[in-house]
Amino acid sequence: MADPARARKLAKRISQIVASAIEHDVKDPRLGAVTITDARVTADLHDATVYYTVLGESLEAAPDFASAAAALEAARGVLRTKVGQGTGVRYTPTLTFVADSIPDDARRIEELLAKAREADAEVARRATGASPAGEADPYKPPRTAEDDEEPAEEETRG
């Protein structure tokens, strides 16, 4: 069992090596829009999961995850060789590529926040000019010394 700090360092180094290899060494045009976001290494340092995201050609164009995944699978051997050369560990970890869901999650959170802002604006719009449903001052006024005095009782004779 390896040290968790060593596994984190190795994961960080693997993500750097894979990103650099995709940019400079692998000559596949399908990988032009691929960005490595993170890497995780198992505790025994034998398996590495590399997370990636794909950018679209433009802001309106949808990214092509299928061709990027196929290109990464095709380049897996070359990338593993580069990782082995760059890390110097006894056993080069196997690489698994997983599409990162963080951009989609972030987009969904932004949509939810926009809906919440719209709902808050609607509540604020309805609250303008509204009056309280009850009395103007619903709280009891503080007691004074006069309230503490007992009223004089009238005597009735009869």
Side-chain angles (χ1 to χ4, degrees):
M1 181 81 53
D3 181 28
R6 182 174 181 208
R8 281 193 304 273
K9 286 180 188 177
L10 182 61
K12 184 175 180 180
R13 183 70 183 132
I14 287 172
S15 67
Q16 292 170 347
I17 292 169
V18 170
S20 177
I22 286 173
E23 185 177 356
H24 300 293
D25 298 328
V26 179
K27 304 297 182 202
D28 193 338
R30 299 176 293 180
L31 295 177
V34 172
T35 302
I36 302 301
T37 57
D38 195 14
R40 304 274 168 88
V41 178
T42 58
D44 62 359
L45 306 179
H46 284 232
D47 299 309
T49 304
V50 180
Y51 296 92
Y52 68 94
T53 187
V54 182
L55 302 175
E57 295 292 325
S58 66
L59 291 176
E60 293 81 25
D64 189 7
F65 282 100
S67 67
L72 286 170
E73 288 299 317
R76 180 193 309 260
V78 173
L79 294 173
R80 186 170 182 220
T81 301
K82 293 290 183 185
V83 167
Q85 293 170 350
T87 57
V89 293
R90 182 179 303 163
Y91 179 81
T92 303
T94 59
L95 299 178
T96 304
F97 296 98
V98 176
D100 199 350
S101 65
I102 289 178
D104 295 332
D105 294 344
R107 189 175 307 111
R108 176 76 178 133
I109 289 172
E110 286 296 326
E111 291 171 1
L112 292 173
L113 287 173
K115 286 181 183 178
R117 279 189 222 106
E118 289 174 10
D120 288 347
E122 177 66 20
V123 168
R125 186 186 62 77
R126 288 184 179 190
T128 56
S131 61
E135 300 174 16
D137 186 12
Y139 301 103
K140 290 183 177 181
R143 295 184 70 169
T144 61
E146 295 172 0
D147 293 338
D148 291 338
E149 294 177 5
E150 293 184 21
E153 292 184 25
E154 294 181 21
E155 294 182 23
T156 55
R157 291 188 191 190

